């Protein structure tokens, strides 16, 4: 595997993404890797290591279109092991070209976005697939479609649990705003994922708010909007 530095060296302690490539089943694929080490925690909807808690690394891995595997969490763990990563991490997956990532920075916040919009649509759609009398849990899940907008946000200050969740919501709002500003008639794809990285809080519990009108939430929103807009414009 090879890695490429994405931008000048980060400030001490700032999570920095690395671009790597690998070969799988005749495909040359890329993944982005954040080596966090101790002292960070993550709030994410990642297929591997999702939720809130300490994480030692974050991985955003490209897979081929028509992804055939039914164990994406195990696949991501295999990629992490091949990179020599240890400890618990968070892993995201996409069929988008990861090497075409976009990033934006605002007031110490960095947002990195990989944009795949081939399966885009609106979050709320008419309920047409359920037969009369059929419970929602009886409807087979749709097949995994990794067409996916993945967002990884690095925040330089500790966030409380509530602020971490708020940051995910803020990033999602900013993504939808960016898609509309790019002229796209959609709110995203069915498999979009968000990951927020922040230092572990001390006794004060961290910043209490990350909504779009809070100081750090506003920075998150602007960074995500900038990165997502840059990635979405070629898809028009």
């Amino acid at each position: 595997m090879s890695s490429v530095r994405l931008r000048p060296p980060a400030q001490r302690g700032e999570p920095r993404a690395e671009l790597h490539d690998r070969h799988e089943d005749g495909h040359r694929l890329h993944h982005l890797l954040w080596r966090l080490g101790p002292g960070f925690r993550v709030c994410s909807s990642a297929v591997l290591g999702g939720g809130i808690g300490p994480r030692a690394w974050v991985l955003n891995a490209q897979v081929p279109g028509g992804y055939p595997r039914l164990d994406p969490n195990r696949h991501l763990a295999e990629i992490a092991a091949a990179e020599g990563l240890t400890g618990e991490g968070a892993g995201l997956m996409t069929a988008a070209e990861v090497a075409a990532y976009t990033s934006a920075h605002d007031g110490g916040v960095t947002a990195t976005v990989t944009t795949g919009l081939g399966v885009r649509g609106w979050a709320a759609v008419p309920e047409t697939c359920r037969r009369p009398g059929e419970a929602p849990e009886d409807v087979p899940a749709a097949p995994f479609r990794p067409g996916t907008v993945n967002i990884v946000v690095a925040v330089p200050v500790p966030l409380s649990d509530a602020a971490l969740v708020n940051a995910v919501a803020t990033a999602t709002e900013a993504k939808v705003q960016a898609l509309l500003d790019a002229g796209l008639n959609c709110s995203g794809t069915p498999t979009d994922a968000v990951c927020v990285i922040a230092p572990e809080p001390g006794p004060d519990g961290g910043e209490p708010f990350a909504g779009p009108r809070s100081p750090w939430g506003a920075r998150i929103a602007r960074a995500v909007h900038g990165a997502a807009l840059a990635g979405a414009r070629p898809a028009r």
Side-chain angles (χ1 to χ4, degrees):
M1 294 186 182
S2 61
S3 64
V4 178
R5 176 170 287 166
L6 301 183
R7 58 190 178 92
Q11 296 177 1
R12 184 178 180 182
E14 180 188 351
R16 183 183 65 208
E18 305 166 4
L19 179 65
H20 295 252
D21 64 7
R22 67 189 194 282
H23 293 271
E24 290 182 2
D25 301 325
H27 299 279
R28 185 187 181 208
L29 303 168
H30 293 91
H31 52 271
L32 286 168
L33 171 61
W34 289 257
R35 302 178 192 269
L36 307 180
F40 288 93
R41 62 181 192 153
V42 167
C43 178
S44 81
S45 59
V47 67
L48 174 69
I52 299 177
R55 300 290 184 267
W57 46 268
V58 172
L59 179 69
N60 184 15
Q62 179 185 357
V63 296
Y67 183 65
R69 292 183 61 160
L70 300 177
D71 58 346
N73 54 340
R74 182 173 180 178
H75 188 187
L76 286 162
E78 292 168 357
I79 298 170
E83 287 286 2
L85 302 175
T86 59
E88 190 170 1
L92 305 89
M93 188 170 278
T94 180
E97 174 51 73
V98 166
Y101 75 93
T102 53
S103 63
H105 317 281
D106 192 290
V109 173
T110 300
T112 304
V113 178
T114 53
T115 308
L117 290 164
V119 198
R120 62 181 179 262
W122 291 100
V125 296
E127 189 176 17
T128 58
C129 64
R130 196 168 62 175
R131 295 187 294 271
E134 189 174 43
E137 60 268 19
D138 295 331
V139 179
F144 179 70
R145 299 287 298 276
T148 308
V149 177
N150 281 343
I151 300 169
V152 177
V153 182
V155 183
V157 298
L159 301 176
S160 69
D161 285 0
L164 281 170
V165 175
N166 211 174
V168 170
T170 295
T172 302
E173 289 183 43
K175 174 202 71 174
V176 176
Q177 182 182 348
L179 295 177
L180 296 177
D181 287 347
L184 297 171
N185 188 31
C186 65
S187 59
T189 85
T191 52
D192 290 357
V194 181
C195 179
V196 177
I197 304 167
E200 290 184 336
D204 64 353
E207 293 288 325
F209 306 115
R213 291 298 171 266
S214 68
W216 288 104
R219 293 164 184 159
I220 291 168
R222 289 190 293 264
V224 171
H225 180 269
L229 182 61
R233 276 177 169 156
R236 286 185 299 182

